[in-house]
Amino acid sequence: NAGVMQNPRHLVRRRGQEARLRCSPMKGHSHVYWYRQLPEEGLKFMVYLQKENIIDESGMPKERFSAEFPKEGPSILRIQQVVRGDSAAYFCASSPPELGEQFFGPGTRLTVL
Amino acid sequence: AQKVTQAQTEISVVEKEDVTLDCVYETRDTTYYLFWYKQPPSGELVFLIRRNSFDEQNEISGRYSWNFQKSTSSFNFTITASQVVDSAVYFCARGGSNYKLTFGKGTLLTVNP
């Protein structure tokens, strides 16, 4: 059973471009969470999704950030018009239908030039 | 906000020394979970342990041990006979009745040969 997969592992964007981060949950997991780790900081919750539903996006910046988890395919975290302050590691986690433990992916390191 | 505090920002020890990483948490939940994760220089998050709030038994796994004290809201982590490969950032986290994990800011442990 493959773990949580994230791609790309490293992403470089120039200011103003769009960044798309992908997360494939573990098989059988229907809950996906995104966390952001700024330099020298712990992880901070961004958004919680189930298939085709955003359950809680209270940790998402109000502008430029969006997330989806379609019926088919991976969850996508999208950042429009990136700025240098978006440079961070973005971690995805998934959990089974009964909730419980979250399993983390390897993260995507976004660098904005 | 219900915080998780890791007061030690950085710890440096010499190989074979024992080292304890402190974690103090706040919670209003009756049932909650506590976690430790390791983040080596490669950047991924490695799950170490999960503890339920109703189970205060201490746990030992090889050179690792955890001391959960509800009375002081602490969940400390001890590495016995540390090794260079233990060098990493260690995060303590709390999960409650909701799904969000709240992380501490991490402790950077450096084990010198």
Side-chain angles (χ1 to χ4, degrees):
Chain A
N1 187 8
V4 178
M5 296 200 292
Q6 290 187 249
N7 68 81
R9 295 291 305 275
H10 299 273
L11 182 61
V12 179
R13 285 287 178 266
R14 295 191 181 281
R15 278 180 297 169
Q17 291 184 320
E18 179 179 285
R20 279 185 181 237
L21 289 62
R22 293 175 189 77
C23 168
S24 296
M26 286 178 71
K27 189 176 179 182
H29 285 193
S30 54
H31 304 268
V32 165
Y33 316 82
W34 286 93
Y35 292 82
R36 178 165 66 173
Q37 183 181 25
L38 293 168
E40 314 293 325
E41 294 279 326
L43 282 73
K44 292 217 170 7
F45 169 82
M46 298 182 75
V47 61
Y48 161 42
L49 309 105
Q50 294 178 18
K51 285 283 187 184
E52 299 185 282
N53 281 309
I54 297 174
I55 308 302
D56 182 346
E57 55 183 349
S58 58
M60 291 269 274
K62 294 286 182 265
E63 296 176 352
R64 303 187 297 106
F65 284 71
S66 62
E68 61 177 10
F69 188 16
K71 191 175 176 182
E72 303 289 338
S75 175
I76 307 282
L77 179 67
R78 184 179 174 212
I79 311 172
Q80 294 178 289
Q81 299 174 315
V82 295
V83 301
R84 289 221 173 102
D86 296 333
S87 295
Y90 292 83
F91 287 90
C92 168
S94 72
S95 66
E98 64 272 19
L99 290 178
E101 190 172 325
Q102 295 178 23
F103 295 83
F104 282 84
T108 293
R109 272 141 194 89
L110 171 65
T111 302
V112 180
L113 302 176
Chain B
Q2 300 176 70
K3 295 190 301 185
V4 174
T5 301
Q6 294 180 253
Q8 305 144 310
T9 308
E10 293 187 37
I11 299 176
S12 183
V13 299
V14 177
E15 212 170 11
K16 296 186 183 163
E17 282 185 29
D18 299 348
V19 57
T20 295
L21 310 181
D22 298 332
C23 173
V24 174
Y25 61 91
E26 298 173 3
T27 187
R28 291 186 288 272
D29 295 319
T30 307
T31 301
Y32 53 91
Y33 305 90
L34 299 167
F35 303 80
W36 277 95
Y37 289 88
K38 173 182 180 180
Q39 188 174 43
S42 51
E44 73 272 24
L45 275 175
V46 179
F47 168 81
L48 296 178
I49 189 171
R50 165 179 137 152
R51 211 84 187 113
N52 299 333
S53 56
F54 46 85
D55 181 2
E56 279 193 78
Q57 264 196 330
N58 291 327
E59 181 153 341
I60 298 175
S61 175
R63 294 185 298 107
Y64 295 170
S65 62
W66 290 269
N67 184 347
F68 177 24
Q69 301 253 342
K70 242 173 155 174
S71 58
T72 54
S73 297
S74 65
F75 186 44
N76 297 338
F77 172 32
T78 297
I79 302 174
T80 304
S82 59
Q83 300 175 1
V84 172
V85 292
D86 296 328
S87 296
V89 180
Y90 290 85
F91 291 99
C92 179
R94 183 196 62 79
S97 54
N98 62 26
Y99 34 79
K100 298 178 191 177
L101 294 185
T102 300
F103 284 80
K105 292 193 173 183
T107 297
L108 172 61
L109 173 65
T110 303
V111 181
N112 298 297

